[in-house]
């Protein structure tokens, strides 16, 4: 991942730009923003002036849409890797307690066993 030096005039790196363009389901559109005189006169630094995108006709460009289609996007993979960092060092052999070892709380809830009367009446 690129290191950001924190220059507010340059903004954050556009990490997703290549991923979005590679899917070929968006198109560049003209700006629709019109500043309100006296209320939004601040200028945006040139490095932050990105071109707006929209979905091509008949396409949806949400992560939910891709997930329902069975498509794993680079964004999903990125987040999955990030969420799993360090999981191995916190995991225990007993998977029932793994969520608590990762900082979760059980709130006293327990899954019924196979011979619980409500699950498997004898």
């Amino acid at each position: 991942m690129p290191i950001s030096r924190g220059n507010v005039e340059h903004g954050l790196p556009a990490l997703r730009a290549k991923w979005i363009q590679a899917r070929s389901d968006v198109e560049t559109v003209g700006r629709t923003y019109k500043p309100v005189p006296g209320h939004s006169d601040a200028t945006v630094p040139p490095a932050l002036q990105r071109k707006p995108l929209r979905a091509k006709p008949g396409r949806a460009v949400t992560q939910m849409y891709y997930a329902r289609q069975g498509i794993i996007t680079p964004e999903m993979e990125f987040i999955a890797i990030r969420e799993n960092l360090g999981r191995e060092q916190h995991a225990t052999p007993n998977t029932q307690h793994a969520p608590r070892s990762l900082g979760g709380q059980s709130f006293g809830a327990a899954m019924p066993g196979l011979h619980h009367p409500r699950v498997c009446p004898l």
Side-chain angles (χ1 to χ4, degrees):
M1 180 183 312
I3 296 174
S4 176
R5 299 286 179 215
N7 185 336
V8 74
E9 295 291 319
H10 294 124
L12 295 173
L15 296 176
R16 298 178 55 222
K18 291 179 185 175
W19 301 339
I20 292 168
Q21 294 297 331
R23 286 194 288 267
S24 301
D25 54 5
V26 295
E27 58 190 7
T28 305
V29 295
R31 296 194 184 276
T32 58
Y33 173 73
K34 305 272 191 277
V36 177
H39 294 285
S40 54
D41 297 330
T43 58
V44 177
L48 299 177
Q49 295 181 9
R50 297 181 180 152
K51 296 179 179 172
L53 303 172
R54 72 171 171 202
K56 288 182 178 178
R59 300 298 302 255
V61 292
T62 65
Q63 296 300 307
M64 179 67 78
Y65 172 79
Y66 297 128
R68 288 180 177 160
Q69 301 301 313
I71 299 168
I72 297 175
T73 67
E75 293 94 332
M76 292 176 197
E77 186 176 3
F78 176 87
I79 294 301
I81 291 167
R82 195 171 115 194
E83 287 178 349
N84 284 315
L85 290 177
R87 183 172 292 231
E88 294 81 21
Q89 66 189 9
H90 295 291
T92 62
N94 184 352
T95 57
Q96 180 180 3
H97 300 296
R100 277 184 268 158
S101 69
L102 294 174
Q105 297 180 17
S106 70
F107 297 105
M111 294 299 293
L114 292 177
H115 300 292
H116 192 278
R118 293 184 193 156
V119 176
C120 182
L122 298 175

